[in-house]
Amino acid sequence: MTTQVLLPTAKTLQTAGTLLRAGELVGFPTETVYGLGANALDQAAVLRIFEAKGRPADNPLIVHIASLEDVAPLIKGDLPEAARKLAEAYWPGPMTMVLPKSSRIPLAVSAGLSTVGIRFPDHPVAQALIQAAGVPIAAPSANRSGRPSPTTAAHVLEDMDERIPLILDGGPCRVGVESTVIDLTCDPVRVLRPGGVTPSMIARVLGSVEVDGSVLRPLMPGEVVRSPGMKYRHYAPKGEMTLVSGANVRARLASLYDEAERQGETALILAKDARGFDGRLVRALGETDAEAAASLFALLREADALGVQRIYAEVFDPEGVGLAVMNRMGRAAGFHRVVA
Ligand code: TXA
Ligand code: MG
């Protein structure tokens, strides 16, 4: 199958909607990362997602909607008060709410769980696509399993060429890390995966929130995971990545790089500011959490393309969107860390 990459127009959106209704897959932009969409109510179509990604069958998918009225048929019972408040505050936006699922959700979407993750994305192309399809869209990030999430149409093509018929190119994603996943079936609600909607933003609306303990550390042997996606090695570059922190972080990044080169290995520095590392291979993450979120996955893909064996990355404070950045960087590095 040839994969077409098309700009979103009224015509290409109709084509995409028709493909989705016919059980095919479409790559599309959201404000977080690109998604790999299928008709969420069509079990056979959803199974194609798992095949195209090489995704483990026990990792559930997020269902994307384009209006608040679309939620009711997807969940069991009434929308809980906490969910209504969060939806009012942060939808459309980078927030997924895990709620008890209705019987309309195929088993493949929820990977056998009794809950479903629902998200109303804040992107005109995603919203227009859901409307054109006329059905909710199940969509994981449009990467092959284990690769960094795609933040451009070119990244999607890298991973999905000849696996899907169509990618809609909406340019680079604004947020750059995947949505905040919040479990609404417990009280207080619990952040399973940090993202653009931060714990303090949730606390502001609900008064309290918990953050799952596994967000900033590896899973312990035998630990039961609340979000199946957390048990897989994600965002993994081919090179071995180390997180570097401390007062002399820039000097330490340079010395680790030089040590790797002395050992005959190729290395890359990811620093907040790329200037001043004379002659070393270095890329800028950006000074702010938001800049780092938007640049991180593209830089991990570039590291793979360059074939570097070692990556030394400067850490961010795990506050605000920095929590999402450190969760993704931590997992990419297997939480391997040195303090300068
Ligand atoms: O920003 C995003 O969320 C992107 C865009 C495309 O919307 N999607 C995305 O999907 O990141 P995916 O499949 O790559 O990640 C979904 C995460 C996984 O960690 C999965 O385990 C978790 O959400 N998840 C989905 N449904 C769940 C459920 N019912 N209970 C607990 N965790 C769930
Ligand atoms: Mg993913």
Side-chain angles (χ1 to χ4, degrees):
M1 163 187 325
T2 43
T3 302
Q4 280 195 293
V5 181
L6 300 174
L7 293 174
T9 63
K11 186 159 172 278
T12 58
L13 281 161
Q14 281 315 312
T15 306
T18 305
L19 283 168
L20 288 168
R21 276 196 305 279
E24 301 284 348
L25 306 184
V26 173
F28 66 98
T30 81
E31 79 279 29
T32 57
V33 300
Y34 274 72
L36 180 64
N39 177 354
L41 306 179
D42 177 347
Q43 162 99 350
V46 167
L47 287 173
R48 286 187 165 170
I49 291 179
F50 287 85
E51 197 186 312
K53 276 185 66 95
R55 182 177 176 106
D58 66 351
N59 196 2
L61 305 178
I62 294 170
V63 176
H64 296 70
I65 56 171
S67 116
L68 216 62
E69 286 87 78
D70 296 346
V71 179
L74 305 177
I75 65 171
K76 189 174 165 192
D78 294 330
L79 193 66
E81 180 71 3
R84 191 186 53 73
K85 286 184 179 163
L86 286 177
E88 269 170 19
Y90 301 123
W91 269 357
M95 176 180 78
T96 297
M97 293 201 276
V98 172
L99 293 159
K101 78 174 193 78
S102 79
S103 56
R104 294 188 76 201
I105 304 285
L107 221 58
V109 169
S110 56
L113 298 177
S114 60
T115 54
V116 60
I118 303 177
R119 179 160 110 80
F120 183 167
D122 183 20
H123 195 291
V125 177
Q127 291 176 8
L129 179 65
I130 297 163
Q131 271 150 11
V135 289
I137 297 182
S141 49
N143 51 289
R144 292 272 302 161
S145 230
R147 296 214 70 205
S149 292
T151 54
T152 66
H155 295 162
V156 181
L157 188 65
E158 251 172 46
D159 285 17
M160 292 297 155
D161 196 16
E162 303 196 337
R163 293 174 184 271
I164 62 175
L166 176 61
I167 300 165
L168 292 174
D169 183 353
C173 300
R174 173 171 58 81
V175 179
V177 292
E178 308 87 339
S179 63
T180 307
V181 177
I182 311 170
D183 187 352
L184 270 289
T185 67
C186 46
D187 187 15
V189 304
R190 179 183 290 260
V191 173
L192 303 181
R193 178 179 73 181
V197 170
T198 64
S200 62
M201 288 165 72
I202 299 166
R204 209 177 300 147
V205 172
L206 299 183
S208 60
V209 60
E210 271 175 16
V211 177
D212 203 81
S214 62
V215 160
L216 289 179
R217 58 161 173 78
L219 286 175
M220 295 186 292
E223 183 172 355
V224 177
V225 286
R226 287 190 178 75
S227 185
M230 291 202 286
K231 70 181 177 220
Y232 297 105
R233 185 162 181 249
H234 256 200
Y235 324 113
K238 291 177 195 136
E240 199 175 295
M241 183 158 154
T242 302
L243 307 183
V244 186
S245 61
N248 299 313
V249 57
R250 288 173 59 83
R252 191 63 201 261
L253 286 165
S255 68
L256 286 163
Y257 180 102
D258 294 346
E259 178 59 25
E261 293 232 305
R262 270 197 298 279
Q263 306 286 326
E265 292 176 318
T266 52
L268 170 68
I269 293 171
L270 300 180
K272 291 179 183 172
D273 182 348
R275 290 169 300 184
F277 285 101
D278 19 73
R280 300 177 182 90
L281 186 60
V282 50
R283 294 288 182 271
L285 285 161
E287 291 287 350
T288 66
D289 303 343
E291 285 170 332
S295 67
L296 178 65
F297 288 148
L299 291 174
L300 295 181
R301 280 180 180 260
E302 191 184 352
D304 277 358
L306 290 166
V308 296
Q309 292 160 295
R310 300 274 172 180
I311 304 164
Y312 299 105
E314 182 171 357
V315 304
F316 285 75
D317 286 335
E319 299 294 328
V321 178
L323 182 66
V325 172
M326 288 318 297
N327 167 259
R328 307 312 192 274
M329 286 201 348
R331 301 190 66 205
F335 294 97
H336 181 214
R337 189 168 179 147
V338 299
V339 181

